Amino acid sequence: MAVLEQTDVAVYEQVVVLLSCALSALGSVLVVSTYALWPDLRTTPRQLLLFLSVADFLSAVSYSYGVYKVFNASTWDCVTQGAVSTFSNTSSFFWTVAIAVYLYIFIVQSSQRQADSLVLYFHLIRQEGENVRPTNLFLSLSLSWGVPLAITVAAVSLQKIGYDASEVSVGWCWISIEEDDHVLWMLLTGKIWELLAYVILPLLYILIKRHIHKAHAALSEYRPILACNRLSHSIPAMADRKLTLIPIIFIALRIWSTVRFVLLLARSPVGQNPVLVTLHGIGNTFQGAANCIMFVLCTRPVRARLVAWLCCRSHEALSNSDMQSQFTARTRSLSHSDGRSGSQTEVDESEDEE
């Protein structure tokens, strides 16, 4: 039985992390909305980013509930919140790696067909007639939804998810700190995948950047990527290149969670440092907002479309408001005219009677 040393979560820490959750949820919705609004942006990397955003949205919602409640016991809602965050957080790891693998195949090996075929395995869905033979690495990545779900079901069934005294969280529930094998389950439900991502993502990212650097001297290597009609594919191409920044965002945000986990293993009180706790809370909840900033707000073609769409909607609302105002003014004018006519009629009738 582990000794509980609860980490106090200050009100300002709650406010900061809740704001991060709100921004992440909003950012994830914005990524999904841009994918739904414009069909020509529905490239395979954008589709993978869509699934990553769904996982990040679930994480933000579940974490926000935990931060708001700041659990102090393994209640039913604590277990539910912990299960949802475990599934979505682990899925986020897998989808982030899936995007890096796709980009590596697509850019470095210049094989769009092979890269697109991997998406079937990322979903555990194989269409009839498809003859795809992925390597063991791709098969391990094929369970981007299945592995997190299986791990979460196992953890819930064995009653491993519960109150963790905020030793490796910021108010929310994860693996019960009272379990003797809590370290093992922390590894299985997130940390081992997080550590693997720290190794795989930088490696693939470096290989991709090296290839892009060499391509400046040999543009013929980009024939499978560059289309004949550059204008029609310029926006997706720019978005695809920016997707290589996802590993950097991932590591910069997730490192604080790993640091607190290591400090927990070392039984160091530094893990309860308010600054570290706040960074942990932001890092675990802000990825959806970070992806939105990079691939919507900081991607000029997408940003231009979004601004134009919002302006169009505002113009339509303003036009409708003007029409309503004009209609109201006309109605009042007619009513006022009818009133004056009625008064004049009454005066005329009284004069006739006199």
Side-chain angles (χ1 to χ4, degrees), residues 124-142:
L124 270 183
I125 297 175
R126 182 170 179 173
Q127 297 176 352
E128 295 183 0
E130 292 286 347
N131 186 20
V132 183
R133 295 181 180 180
T135 64
N136 291 333
L137 174 61
F138 301 152
L139 285 173
S140 67
L141 292 174
S142 68

Side-chain angles (χ1 to χ4, degrees), residues 303-313:
R303 183 178 68 247
R305 289 191 180 197
L306 185 62
V307 171
W309 183 80
L310 291 175
C311 290
C312 181
R313 299 287 294 184

Side-chain angles (χ1 to χ4, degrees), residues 20 23-25 27-28 31 49 56 245-246 248-250 252-253 282-283 285-298:
S20 176
L23 292 175
S24 186
S28 299
V31 171
L49 180 62
D56 290 336
L245 295 176
I246 286 183
I248 296 178
I249 297 173
F250 176 86
L253 293 176
I282 295 174
T285 60
F286 197 72
Q287 183 166 333
N291 290 336
C292 176
I293 292 171
M294 289 301 302
F295 307 117
V296 176
L297 303 182
C298 290

Side-chain angles (χ1 to χ4, degrees), residues 39-100:
D40 59 319
L41 293 182
R42 298 174 188 173
T43 60
T44 303
R46 282 272 168 183
Q47 186 182 29
L48 296 177
L49 180 62
L50 170 71
F51 303 134
L52 174 60
S53 298
V54 171
D56 290 336
F57 177 81
L58 291 176
S59 293
V61 172
S62 61
Y63 282 142
S64 64
Y65 183 78
V67 174
Y68 174 76
K69 293 280 290 187
V70 186
F71 293 104
N72 53 20
S74 296
T75 57
W76 69 268
D77 53 344
C78 166
V79 175
T80 302
Q81 177 269 307
V84 174
S85 62
T86 298
F87 169 74
S88 57
N89 199 41
T90 308
S91 295
S92 180
F93 297 157
F94 276 84
W95 283 118
T96 303
V97 175
I99 291 172

Side-chain angles (χ1 to χ4, degrees), residues 21 27 47 159 206 242 305:
C21 291
Q47 186 182 29
Q159 299 181 349
I206 291 172
K242 275 205 169 184
R305 289 191 180 197

Side-chain angles (χ1 to χ4, degrees), residues 5 10 21 37 102 290 302 325:
E5 296 181 1
C21 291
L37 282 173
Y102 177 89
V302 181
S325 299

